């Protein structure tokens, strides 16, 4: 009998899982989605200028080529259209239960009981978590935030009803999201103050519209999309990954970023403020060509003085108050709190939150001992700073699909504790050569400095590891002590 599968989240990951189940003829699944629409992070992040800095042909499923991309780097609306297209084409949309938030998943010894904020608990054989790493906005703890009398919102909860024309706007944060919306805000606002705590390394984004002939060629020439995708993938893997591993291209990446800064920012004082003092890649490199020019506009100010508090009238730094009527928090996400706020209990009532209190970890970023038939997409240590997450998601879905026949034969299966321990040792050894530990704060790490979010190897290795027959790494839970 086909397993009953609960998929939580209808973003890129959850939809990929649902599509592969459909393609395998397994229709016994439900996708739980707390929002009223699909798309995950691409639904939530609708800020002006939202888009992806990974090229369209790679930031898409390998099995679903799309000749309709209008530009080299997709904008958020286009990515959502692509996901709608995939969900419609593969017939998964009708299996999505919108407006249904999962509160808990509890393993009862043989099945998972899934409880939502509304309705009765439901029983499933398998649970696949597809909730992502960047799904819960992080608001900073700055005193006085609630005293502010103007309008404030987080970049992932953009207030589209609030017209920024002629406003005095403060933006707190300058990561990849802020770098995309700052140029748009700067065009409208009377005055924009960007509060920067740490500068980022920025490299150019050579975006371009695809002309009619290029689009026609992508449509008609057999193998062209595949070849283009492969070229982008190989380039990222061959040049960017070695830079993150502090290898041969690290100097090249730094030079590219410094050249970009010099080409776009003439003022030495501003340039100095924007020059990081840590190696490129330690934090996510920003890929954008319109961020620096926006910062050089006469109505834009970059403030690096530490923020002391927010008052009714604006943002106060150690140098004084900046009066504003709007504050936009581009302050990122609660990225290390994987699966929160869901309660997940495995064998013997083991709490996943408790298990992960020192930092989240999972075999291949997918499975955790004592949590049988529970699988994760974009789980711990599967984020990338150099290539497409969609590639990683597909590897994870392939692994889960390969596990399904075993659990049908053997009942619930879990990853062996010794496999998990060996995985952690390998991860730690590989992590040591990566740039992320080197003197910077980032969303890749817990407060204690453990990198719980990023994959420290080449993605070719991840594909190899996830495509190995899963059986030796797992054991049936029947017969093991509960
Ligand atoms: P982020 O990279 O985590 O940046 C958060 C920003 O807020 C940082 O500049 C941070 O400063 C600042 N900040 C946080 N707390 C603060 C505080 N208390 N006081 C002052 N500043 C504070 O978040 P994000 O820009 O939303 O991006 C998150 C990730 O989403 C990216 O790294 C990327 O992986 C993904 N993303 C991707 C794309 C794409 O095109 N593919 C686009 C957008 C986002 P510090 O640096 O000092 O901590």
């Amino acid at each position: 009998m086909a397993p009953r599968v609960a998929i939580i989240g209808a973003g890129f990951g959850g939809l990929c899982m649902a599509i592969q189940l459909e393609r395998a003829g397994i229709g016994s699944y439900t996708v739980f989605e707390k929002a009223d629409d699909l798309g995950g992070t691409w639904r939530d992040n609708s800020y002006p200028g939202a888009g992806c800095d990974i090229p369209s042909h790679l930031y898409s499923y390998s099995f679903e080529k799309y000749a309709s991309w209008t530009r080299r780097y997709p904008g958020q609306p286009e990515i959502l259209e692509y996901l709608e297209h995939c969900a419609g084409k593969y017939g998964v949309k009708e299996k999505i239960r919108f407006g249904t938030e999962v509160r808990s998943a509890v393993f009862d010894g043989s099945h998972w009981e899934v409880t939502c904020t509304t309705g009765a608990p439901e029983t499933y054989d398998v649970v696949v978590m597809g909730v992502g790493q960047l799904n819960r906005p992080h608001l900073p703890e700055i005193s006085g935030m609630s005293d502010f009398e103007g309008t404030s919102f987080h970049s992932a909860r953009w207030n589209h009803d609030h017209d920024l024309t002629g406003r005095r706007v403060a933006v707190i944060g300058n990561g990849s999201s802020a770098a995309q919306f700052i140029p748009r805000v700067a065009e409208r606002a009377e005055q924009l103050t960007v509060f920067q705590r740490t500068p980022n390394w920025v490299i150019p984004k050579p975006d371009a519209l695809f002309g009619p002939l290029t689009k026609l060629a992508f449509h008609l020439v057999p193998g062209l999309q595949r070849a283009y995708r492969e070229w982008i993938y190989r380039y990222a893997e061959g040049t960017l990954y070695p830079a993150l591993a502090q290898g041969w291209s690290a100097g090249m990446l730094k030079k590219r970023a410094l050249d970009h800064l010099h080409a776009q920012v003439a003022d030495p004082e501003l340039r100095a403020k924007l020059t990081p003092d840590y190696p490129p890649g330690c934090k996510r490199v920003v890929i954008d060509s319109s961020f620096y020019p926006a910062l050089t506009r006469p109505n834009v100010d970059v403030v690096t003085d530490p923020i002391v508090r927010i008052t009714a009238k604006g943002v106060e730094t150690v140098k004084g108050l900046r009066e504003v009527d709007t504050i936009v928090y581009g302050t990122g996400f609660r990225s290390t709190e994987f699966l929160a706020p869901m309660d997940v209990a495995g064998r013997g009532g083991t709490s996943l939150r408790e298990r992960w209190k020192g930092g989240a970890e999972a075999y291949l970023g997918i499975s955790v001992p004592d949590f049988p038939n529970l699988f994760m997409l974009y789980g711990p240590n599967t984020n990338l700073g150099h290539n497409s997450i969609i590639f990683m998601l597909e590897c994870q879905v392939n692994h889960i699909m390969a596990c399904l026949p075993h659990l049908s034969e053997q009942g619930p299966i879990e990853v062996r504790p010794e496999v998990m321990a060996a995985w952690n040792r390998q991860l730690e050894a590989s992590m040591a050569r990566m740039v992320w530990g080197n003197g910077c704060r980032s969303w890749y790490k817990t407060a204690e400095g453990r990198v719980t979010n990023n994959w420290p190897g080449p993605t070719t290795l991840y594909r190899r590891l996830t495509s190995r027959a899963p059986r030796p790494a797992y054991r049936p839970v029947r017969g093991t002590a509960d």
Side-chain angles (χ1 to χ4, degrees):
M1 209 175 74
R4 291 160 299 174
V5 183
I7 300 170
I8 303 173
F12 254 110
L15 289 177
C16 186
M17 187 71 222
I19 290 170
Q20 295 303 3
L21 286 169
E22 276 299 332
R23 292 174 93 198
I26 302 172
S28 47
Y29 67 90
T30 302
V31 184
F32 293 90
E33 171 54 59
K34 72 173 182 214
D36 293 329
D37 212 344
L38 55 75
T41 195
W42 294 108
R43 175 203 57 231
D44 291 345
N45 286 278
S46 63
Y47 56 77
C52 187
D53 56 15
I54 303 289
S56 319
H57 285 87
L58 184 59
Y59 200 78
S60 44
Y61 300 128
S62 62
F63 55 84
E64 187 54 31
K65 308 275 176 305
Y66 196 55
S68 308
W69 296 118
T70 61
R71 56 191 321 124
R72 192 178 292 154
Y73 292 90
Q76 175 257 356
E78 215 174 339
I79 299 173
L80 269 186
E81 266 170 46
Y82 173 75
L83 285 173
E84 278 285 350
H85 156 83
C86 294
K89 174 170 172 179
Y90 291 94
V92 304
K93 195 158 181 184
E94 43 278 25
K95 300 270 184 57
I96 307 175
R97 230 183 272 167
F98 290 110
T100 312
E101 181 172 1
V102 172
R103 183 188 288 160
S104 68
V106 176
F107 186 68
D108 69 4
S110 50
H111 301 100
W112 284 93
E113 194 174 83
V114 174
T115 305
C116 300
T117 42
T118 52
E122 294 175 33
T123 303
Y124 289 88
D125 301 301
V126 177
V127 173
V128 179
M129 299 285 185
V131 298
Q133 297 188 5
L134 303 172
N135 59 340
R136 300 176 70 215
H138 160 76
L139 280 174
E141 286 170 19
I142 304 174
S143 77
M145 279 169 64
S146 57
D147 299 338
F148 183 59
E149 285 173 353
T151 302
S152 62
F153 50 88
H154 185 274
S155 59
R157 301 286 182 268
W158 198 270
N159 182 346
H160 290 280
D161 295 331
H162 183 67
D163 186 359
L164 293 174
T165 311
R167 304 259 184 201
R168 286 166 303 148
V169 181
V171 169
I172 300 183
N174 58 318
S176 300
S177 302
Q180 291 183 342
F181 67 72
I182 280 172
R184 301 298 179 89
V185 174
E187 284 165 8
R188 290 182 159 254
E190 178 192 300
Q191 176 65 37
L192 167 60
T193 310
V194 177
F195 291 89
Q196 172 190 280
R197 190 165 63 177
T198 317
N200 281 303
W201 289 103
V202 182
I203 57 172
K205 178 175 169 182
D207 199 7
L209 285 171
F210 291 132
L213 278 181
T214 311
K215 279 207 258 183
L216 196 66
F218 276 132
H219 197 62
L220 295 179
V221 180
L224 182 62
Q225 287 203 50
R226 183 171 296 280
Y228 181 53
R229 178 186 171 95
E230 192 62 22
W231 177 79
I232 308 162
Y233 171 77
R234 295 276 157 210
Y235 176 79
E237 210 55 23
T239 62
L240 288 178
Y241 173 71
L244 303 187
Q246 309 187 80
W248 68 271
S249 55
M252 206 171 84
L253 179 62
K254 184 169 181 175
K255 181 174 178 326
R256 195 153 160 231
L258 283 173
D259 288 351
H260 184 52
L261 175 63
H262 280 249
Q264 292 201 318
V265 180
D267 173 11
E269 201 182 317
L270 179 57
R271 218 190 264 162
K273 278 185 186 172
L274 298 174
T275 306
D277 64 357
Y278 57 86
C282 185
K283 298 160 91 71
R284 170 67 148 80
V285 171
V286 171
I287 308 175
D288 203 286
S289 296
S290 50
F291 176 52
Y292 285 151
L295 300 183
T296 65
R297 291 172 62 113
N299 65 331
V300 178
D301 235 356
V302 178
V303 172
T304 54
D305 310 316
I307 297 172
V308 179
R309 67 180 68 83
I310 308 254
T311 72
K313 298 287 173 221
V315 182
E316 191 177 320
T317 71
V318 290
K319 298 262 178 70
L321 179 68
R322 293 274 176 152
E323 288 199 15
V324 295
D325 52 49
T326 307
I327 301 177
V328 183
Y329 292 101
T331 43
F333 298 87
R334 299 167 73 164
S335 52
T336 55
E337 299 168 13
F338 289 83
L339 305 189
M342 253 179 289
D343 286 321
V344 182
R347 284 209 293 140
T350 311
S351 151
L352 194 55
R353 194 173 297 128
E354 191 57 25
R355 173 70 61 88
W356 281 351
K357 64 176 189 277
E361 55 185 40
Y363 170 63
L364 300 171
I366 299 175
S367 309
V368 183
D370 294 321
F371 293 82
N373 291 6
L374 176 83
F375 302 101
M376 269 164 285
L377 302 171
Y378 196 20
N381 295 108
T382 62
N383 178 57
L384 302 175
H386 75 285
N387 212 322
S388 174
I389 294 302
I390 316 306
F391 174 94
M392 301 294 273
L393 289 172
E394 285 195 54
C395 292
Q396 290 145 20
V397 170
N398 288 345
H399 177 85
I400 299 168
M401 291 300 291
C403 286
L404 294 185
H406 300 301
L407 57 93
S408 296
E409 280 163 28
Q410 301 174 287
I413 56 170
E414 66 176 1
V415 66
R416 294 174 181 276
E418 64 275 19
V419 171
M420 181 74 222
W423 171 258
N424 278 340
R425 283 195 298 275
Q426 284 162 10
L427 209 57
E428 203 181 322
S430 311
M431 207 56 93
R433 68 165 179 264
M434 302 307 291
V435 69
W436 307 311
N438 273 355
C440 77
R441 172 181 32 217
S442 80
W443 67 262
Y444 302 157
K445 300 189 265 199
T446 61
E448 294 73 37
R450 180 171 166 198
V451 180
T452 52
N453 291 63
N454 283 12
W455 167 241
T459 61
T460 44
L461 172 64
Y462 189 74
R463 175 164 51 191
R464 226 172 28 250
L465 295 173
T466 46
S467 57
R468 283 204 299 224
R471 191 170 199 142
Y474 289 82
R475 66 180 185 186
V477 297
R478 215 183 285 135
T480 55
D482 211 20

